[in-house]
Amino acid sequence: MDGTDWASLATPYGTGESLPAALTRLLDPNPSIRAAAARDALDAVTHQNTIYEATVPVALYVAAILNHPTITAGEHAHEADLQHHPTRETLLDWLGHTAYDADDECLALSERHLGEGFLDACPDMWAFRDLRPVIYSAVQPFLTDDNARVRDAALVSAIPLTEHHALAEHRNELADHAHRLLSTSTDRYRRDRALDALNAWGHDTSTLENANDIAAREFHVRMADHDLWWASNGTGGCAEDPPF
């Protein structure tokens, strides 16, 4: 925190000058203050699936405090509130979304549109991708957390991180956790991520899918077909170029 010149780092909304105060509040004993701090700090470096200069030091700070005892302070009072998300879950979710913004699929898409030298021109994404082993080491302990929501958030965060060559050996461990998630969770986003990972790693998921999973997969296929048609035919909504 103290070794970073936050005011010099770009965010989607200016500079990171206000980030230290928000990041510090992530360790407040009051969970409501932590929730507000998470919005202030994490939303400030998140916009349109882009990694900014300030994103990497924020990610390192978030990873560093995941195991801080204050992170869970006061949360037992909210156990009956189904809308309440544990602070650790919120932080893990953000790390996961950020990791997906820097994953191989996003990189390939960027290179397809902007050229193969995209990563050279985007040192912030490059820096995040290089730090995936460090972030994974912070996330991994929570794959077996007592809180199911934290466990599931840790798994979904860990999946894209293991695209790094140094982490490939952890995919078998994550596959076991993905089976567990699919046997217990109804969260659509997390189920999709677990199924996508298992399929990418060569696992048969036919016995793991429920009716909702199949419906969601078929919907995504239809949408992909629609997007492909639009890309090839949808010039202003017309299949032919004017004049007609």
Side-chain angles (χ1 to χ4, degrees), residues 87-233:
T87 304
R88 189 170 282 141
E89 178 190 9
T90 298
L91 300 181
L92 286 165
D93 279 342
W94 180 81
L95 285 173
H97 286 299
T98 305
Y100 278 110
D101 289 342
D103 71 0
D104 291 348
E105 183 179 357
C106 282
L107 175 58
L109 182 63
S110 297
E111 288 182 335
R112 187 158 63 248
H113 288 288
L114 301 173
E116 293 186 0
F118 168 78
L119 200 55
D120 292 328
C122 190
D124 307 314
M125 179 186 277
W126 196 328
F128 184 91
R129 287 170 62 86
D130 281 349
L131 287 169
R132 286 176 293 181
V134 174
I135 297 172
Y136 184 87
S137 68
V139 169
Q140 186 180 32
F142 302 103
L143 293 169
T144 55
D145 195 82
D146 291 338
N147 187 307
R149 290 164 66 161
V150 170
R151 288 198 305 271
D152 291 349
L155 171 62
V156 175
S157 298
I159 287 170
L161 297 172
T162 59
E163 288 184 344
H164 192 284
H165 62 87
L167 300 174
E169 64 185 26
H170 294 280
R171 292 172 192 165
N172 286 335
E173 174 193 5
L174 296 190
D176 292 338
H177 291 297
H179 278 76
R180 184 260 310 152
L181 181 150
L182 291 167
S183 69
T184 58
S185 176
T186 60
D187 185 280
R188 177 75 270 139
Y189 174 79
R190 290 174 177 170
R191 290 187 66 86
D192 284 345
R193 290 303 193 184
L195 287 165
D196 287 347
L198 289 173
N199 284 317
W201 299 335
H203 294 260
D204 181 4
T205 61
S206 58
T207 61
L208 301 173
E209 289 184 311
N210 60 31
N212 289 333
D213 297 327
I214 295 170
R217 172 164 50 80
E218 292 175 346
F219 173 78
H220 290 317
V221 169
R222 290 196 301 272
M223 291 301 295
D225 289 342
H226 175 271
D227 290 343
L228 180 61
W229 177 89
W230 188 255
S232 59
N233 298 295

Side-chain angles (χ1 to χ4, degrees), residues 15 39 83 131 160 186:
T15 74
R39 290 191 297 271
Q83 300 302 313
L131 287 169
T186 60

